[in-house]
Amino acid sequence: MTVCAEQHVNFIHSDAASLLNDIEQRLDQLLPVVSERDLVGAAMREGALAPGKRIRPLLLLLAARDLGCTATSAGLLDLACAVEMVHAASLILDDMPCMDDAQLRRGRPTIHCQYGEHVAILAAVALLSKAFGLVALAEGLTATARADAVAELSHAVGMQGLVQGQFKDLSEGDKPRSADAILMTNHYKTSTLFCASLQMASIVAEAPGETREQLHRFSLNLGQAFQLLDDLTDGMADTGKDAHQDDGKSTLVNLLGPQAVEAQLRDHLRCASEHLLSACQDGYATHHFVQAWFEKKLAAVS
């Protein structure tokens, strides 16, 4: 890597760190705890503000920059926070005893373990409600843009997104499945919220239809790569989650083996890069961020 290229990458990492700080500060403002008895508020904060990757809101902000948004407006930042709230709510529900029955998330006890199942369910519902309210009232967007952003997020949450993915995982995950069936579950579980994040960035940037289609294809491949990485790291001790959750499940790792899955993951990353560079021809922050993030994670797997 040349000195200029290395400086460029360091700048992107610094920019991402700054955006991450903006996201976490705004989440802190949006999710206050009213009193010691406000257990639902405390659970909402814990679910959304526990140390995490924040990949989805970061990608939304970075992609918006690459698409021509020169500054992070309050409205754009609230869209990013809404995405993180939706993601946090989905994790709270996925971890419930009637779902994945997880004990650990982001290195801490899961929300239902800390606050009880009733509080966890209410906190997830409240986070979803808060998220859609943020999008509907986002500053600096036209009424049409806000409505389009709400529709994108709604699609990602419902029966064509997270709900369908979790249902398929619960109802089919312990049975023999084809590779295509597993990839379809991965699409619903993971790709759809990436799609919503990138489409919301394109809405704010008023990107043309061709760009939005390229970002859609980028998101589909990115989601698959992200889920395959999650499957590859299932047995590792430093993921912040319960180890070996995939034992007995029909994942691609269990079906094809880790080497084949890593090769498929890298193929998805290559396709994702091609679509992203076609969409954001004048900006490379998103591309460099994604590449560096996966390189670091894959180095730990190898």
Side-chain angles (χ1 to χ4, degrees):
M1 182 183 293
T2 66
V3 173
C4 288
E6 186 174 0
Q7 289 175 340
H8 181 60
V9 171
N10 288 338
F11 173 77
I12 290 169
H13 287 177
S14 175
D15 192 36
S18 176
L19 292 175
L20 177 60
N21 184 63
D22 290 343
I23 292 165
E24 293 182 341
Q25 285 191 355
R26 183 58 176 153
L27 285 171
D28 181 62
Q29 295 170 356
L30 291 166
L31 297 170
V33 175
V34 177
S35 69
E36 292 183 0
R37 292 180 293 178
D38 182 15
L39 294 181
V40 174
M44 291 170 68
R45 278 184 63 87
E46 176 68 16
L49 278 162
K53 298 181 286 290
R54 321 267 188 242
I55 295 294
R56 294 154 190 83
L58 275 173
L59 286 176
L60 191 158
L61 297 180
L62 288 169
R65 297 268 189 95
D66 283 345
L67 291 170
C69 295
T70 56
T72 303
S73 66
L76 183 60
L77 184 59
D78 279 357
L79 294 188
C81 289
V83 167
E84 186 66 8
M85 288 181 187
V86 166
H87 179 55
S90 74
L91 298 182
I92 292 172
L93 294 174
D94 288 357
D95 288 339
M96 294 287 291
C98 62
M99 300 282 188
D100 295 340
D101 194 17
Q103 306 300 305
L104 197 66
R105 172 70 68 176
R106 293 176 170 176
R108 303 185 185 187
T110 48
I111 299 301
H112 69 271
C113 288
Q114 292 190 54
Y115 296 95
E117 294 178 35
H118 62 302
V119 173
I121 292 170
L122 293 172
V125 173
L127 281 170
L128 288 171
S129 175
K130 183 75 172 180
F132 282 101
L134 276 177
V135 178
L137 299 174
E139 295 180 14
L141 275 67
T142 65
T144 298
R146 288 196 294 267
D148 289 346
V150 167
E152 289 289 347
L153 199 56
S154 175
H155 180 84
V157 172
M159 284 303 292
Q160 293 304 310
L162 298 174
V163 169
Q164 183 71 272
Q166 182 67 354
F167 175 75
K168 282 184 171 292
D169 204 34
L170 290 170
S171 60
E172 302 172 6
D174 61 347
K175 301 177 179 65
R177 290 186 292 177
S178 67
D180 286 343
I182 295 170
L183 291 172
M184 183 56 68
T185 299
N186 292 350
H187 163 77
Y188 288 124
K189 281 180 60 179
T190 310
S191 293
T192 50
L193 192 53
F194 280 118
C195 288
S197 302
L198 273 295
Q199 291 304 310
M200 289 163 76
S202 70
I203 288 168
V204 175
E206 299 181 345
E210 183 178 349
T211 296
R212 293 187 63 169
E213 178 59 27
Q214 291 293 342
L215 287 174
H216 179 70
R217 294 178 183 274
F218 160 73
S219 303
L220 294 178
N221 280 282
L222 179 67
Q224 292 291 349
F226 198 86
Q227 186 59 50
L228 293 180
L229 178 65
D230 188 70
D231 294 345
L232 281 171
T233 58
D234 176 60
M236 297 176 65
D238 58 349
T239 62
K241 300 187 294 183
D242 296 357
H244 303 290
Q245 276 192 315
D246 292 342
D247 286 357
K249 291 180 63 175
S250 52
T251 67
L252 277 188
V253 173
N254 293 334
L255 182 66
L256 304 176
Q259 289 185 329
V261 168
E262 183 174 342
Q264 186 163 343
L265 186 161
R266 292 186 183 278
D267 190 52
H268 281 300
L269 278 182
R270 179 186 57 78
C271 292
S273 292
E274 291 175 358
H275 292 300
L276 180 60
L277 292 174
S278 294
C280 305
Q281 297 178 5
D282 296 325
Y284 302 98
T286 312
H287 176 260
H288 286 302
F289 173 78
V290 169
Q291 292 298 310
W293 191 88
F294 272 97
E295 284 175 10
K296 180 179 180 181
K297 296 296 182 181
L298 287 169
V301 172
S302 301

